[in-house]
Amino acid sequence: MRVLTAIGFVFALATATSGQQGAQPTPTDRTKASQFTAAELAAAVAKVPSDRPVTGTRIFTLAPYAGDVERRQPLPQGASVHEAQAELFYVIDGSATLLTGGKLIDGTRNGTNLSGKGIEGGTRNQFNKGDFLVVPSGVPHQLVDIKAPVTLMSLYLPNTTSTQ
């Protein structure tokens, strides 16, 4: 239930941006809800470059929340661990497998995140267009078995201390 509440909250706070890679999103007004329309999402996705294994654009930031649109090409992908936040994926288009858990291979630190060449062990979660995937903080994850480009919306949700 908390995840669904967080999803609704994050989507309500999203705001339109230019959609260009590296562009800073328009600041979100904390005194009201902001909207990111389907047309704006489609425009942001259309502007994401397709010539690299992973490309993306930030669609909103309202600290401590952030959302990106990513395009993953059918090329080898690295693995990640986010220690301070969970990551919620919504599959806009495509299908592949999300490998989660196990042990990060050759991990290196980048702030509060770890990056690695891959994952040893883990659980395979096949996904398709329209699916949601939630990776808790501290869990290694990697996209594998990508046969055609995959477009994802990724939302970063901070750890909470609540046990409810």
Side-chain angles (χ1 to χ4, degrees):
M1 184 66 180
R2 283 190 302 188
V3 170
L4 293 178
T5 302
I7 293 168
F9 177 72
V10 171
F11 277 112
L13 295 174
T15 186
T17 69
S18 66
Q20 297 174 352
Q21 184 173 357
Q24 291 298 314
T26 304
T28 300
D29 184 343
R30 287 187 172 271
T31 65
K32 62 182 180 180
S34 298
Q35 182 177 9
F36 192 79
T37 67
E40 291 165 330
L41 177 60
V45 169
K47 292 179 181 179
V48 173
S50 60
D51 60 346
R52 288 167 263 179
V54 180
T55 55
T57 187
R58 177 67 38 101
I59 58 172
F60 74 88
T61 299
L62 179 65
Y65 305 100
D68 296 332
V69 174
E70 304 173 4
R71 181 169 292 134
R72 305 289 186 111
Q73 297 297 328
L75 299 167
Q77 307 284 312
S80 299
V81 176
H82 307 298
E83 295 177 325
Q85 57 200 8
E87 189 168 13
L88 172 67
F89 293 103
Y90 173 71
V91 184
I92 297 169
D93 195 30
S95 62
T97 300
L98 181 66
L99 183 61
T100 60
K103 182 181 176 191
L104 191 65
I105 299 170
D106 295 332
T108 58
R109 180 161 299 282
N110 179 9
T112 60
N113 298 321
L114 299 169
S115 299
K117 293 181 181 179
I119 296 173
E120 185 177 296
T123 303
R124 300 173 74 77
N125 302 280
Q126 291 183 311
F127 64 83
N128 297 296
K129 180 179 179 175
D131 290 350
F132 284 90
L133 302 130
V134 179
V135 180
S137 61
V139 175
H141 55 285
Q142 177 183 23
L143 270 71
V144 297
D145 302 333
I146 303 173
K147 306 289 189 241
V150 175
T151 305
L152 306 163
M153 179 181 298
S154 57
L155 304 173
Y156 300 95
L157 307 171
N159 290 335
T160 63
T161 57
S162 173
T163 58
Q164 297 179 355

